[in-house]
Amino acid sequence: MSETYIRENLEQIEKRIQAACDRSGRAREEVLLIAVSKTKPASMVREAMEAGIRDFGENKVQELCEKAEEIKEFSGQPADRPGAELLNWHLIGHLQRNKVKYVADKARLIHSVDSLRLAEEIQKEAEKKDCHVDILMEVNIGDEESKSGVAKEEAIGLVRAVAPLSRVHIKGLMAIAPVAAEPEESRPYFREMARLRDEIRLMELPGVEMRELSMGMTGDFEVAIEEGATMVRVGTAIFGGRNYNR
């Protein structure tokens, strides 16, 4: 796939994001596009960067770390290039506690925290590395056995439990809607996520911002935006289909 193809895909996605924002009376700046680069080579990440993308999502810790190393000139703001634009890595897949040590200081945002034990492990590694880690709480909004995430009914309790951790900062919620034949079928799930986010935000818990709502992928990101998503995770529509046997 050529850089031109990726650029053209991004131009079309940008038009769709803008149209969804217009329909819902939102400013375009309220929605961050995260390009999901899982299974794709670092060369394609660079091509998307050339087209203006700075935020990339990875499912696996190892793949995130490998790409961060390969594109390390953009991993942080170099002292000799003040104002240089950064490359932000988002861990969007399930995170095992024994792999936290590899990603705590590399991910701009961990979208998939779903237990106190995982948050405590992140706290421990953040202390070791003398850093702070921004996270989202993943909610299993469809109550699906095959998916990670805290149950909707337990989300508020988990936020309360994690909030006191000094180096772990809750920025909002994340969810993956159940697979659907039509994007409209995802709307009730996205609407419920927005309601839950707003409910927690109104509680004004110390150390909890509850600003972000990461939801919506290639098949349903426009509906997610209409229902309040602040981050959409789009991969196939940017990079094309994936080969999971690589």
Side-chain angles (χ1 to χ4, degrees):
M1 182 179 293
S2 68
E3 180 179 331
T4 300
Y5 189 87
I6 289 177
R7 185 180 295 275
E8 289 174 352
N9 285 347
L10 285 167
E11 288 173 353
Q12 291 303 312
I13 291 167
E14 178 59 37
K15 291 177 182 178
R16 293 166 63 186
I17 291 175
Q18 183 63 65
C21 288
D22 291 344
R23 288 193 298 271
S24 50
R26 303 179 65 193
R28 171 64 185 88
E29 294 73 23
E30 294 178 31
V31 181
L32 175 67
L33 172 60
I34 299 172
V36 179
S37 48
K38 64 180 183 180
T39 80
K40 300 299 181 179
S43 60
M44 295 183 77
V45 172
R46 291 181 184 277
E47 290 171 10
M49 290 180 69
E50 287 294 323
I53 298 297
R54 289 293 176 269
D55 290 83
F56 294 86
E58 290 290 339
N59 270 39
K60 296 182 178 180
V61 169
Q62 181 178 349
E63 193 171 354
L64 186 154
C65 291
E66 289 173 353
K67 289 177 186 173
E69 177 63 23
E70 190 167 345
I71 318 177
K72 60 185 176 182
E73 70 268 31
F74 293 104
S75 295
Q77 185 166 318
D80 61 342
R81 289 194 292 134
E85 292 190 75
L86 306 183
L87 187 163
N88 298 315
W89 293 107
H90 296 250
L91 184 68
I92 61 176
H94 178 66
L95 177 59
Q96 296 174 311
R97 294 196 305 278
N98 64 352
K99 294 187 177 179
V100 169
K101 58 188 174 184
Y102 302 114
V103 77
D105 59 346
K106 291 183 176 66
R108 168 65 184 81
L109 185 65
I110 297 175
H111 291 229
S112 50
V113 177
D114 60 1
S115 72
L116 177 58
R117 291 180 69 191
L118 176 56
E120 289 173 337
E121 187 66 26
I122 295 172
Q123 169 76 14
K124 183 172 75 173
E125 289 299 328
E127 290 172 350
K128 288 181 182 179
K129 297 177 184 298
D130 191 22
C131 66
H132 291 257
V133 183
D134 291 345
I135 68 167
L136 303 180
M137 290 296 183
E138 181 177 4
V139 179
N140 187 344
I141 194 62
D143 195 25
E144 298 175 274
E145 291 186 5
S146 61
K147 288 182 180 174
S148 302
V150 62
K152 178 181 66 175
E153 297 78 14
E154 299 173 3
I156 292 176
L158 180 57
V159 169
R160 286 185 181 276
V162 173
L165 298 178
S166 62
R167 290 177 178 266
V168 179
H169 307 291
I170 304 172
K171 299 297 182 180
L173 304 177
M174 184 271 258
I176 302 173
V179 175
E182 298 293 335
E184 276 298 321
E185 296 177 34
S186 298
R187 191 179 297 276
Y189 298 102
F190 294 149
R191 187 167 293 171
E192 180 61 17
M193 283 297 299
R195 185 205 64 75
L196 180 61
R197 188 271 312 267
D198 292 345
E199 179 183 352
I200 298 173
R201 183 165 53 187
L202 289 173
M203 296 169 70
E204 298 185 342
L205 299 172
V208 178
E209 290 189 33
M210 207 48 58
R211 178 180 68 246
E212 306 294 354
L213 198 53
S214 171
M215 60 187 192
M217 300 187 291
T218 289
D220 54 17
F221 71 85
E222 291 152 300
V223 173
I225 291 170
E226 292 169 1
E227 294 300 330
T230 64
M231 297 177 171
V232 292
R233 310 179 304 271
V234 180
T236 302
I238 297 172
F239 299 110
R242 305 183 190 282
N243 178 9
Y244 289 98
N245 296 318
R246 60 186 289 271

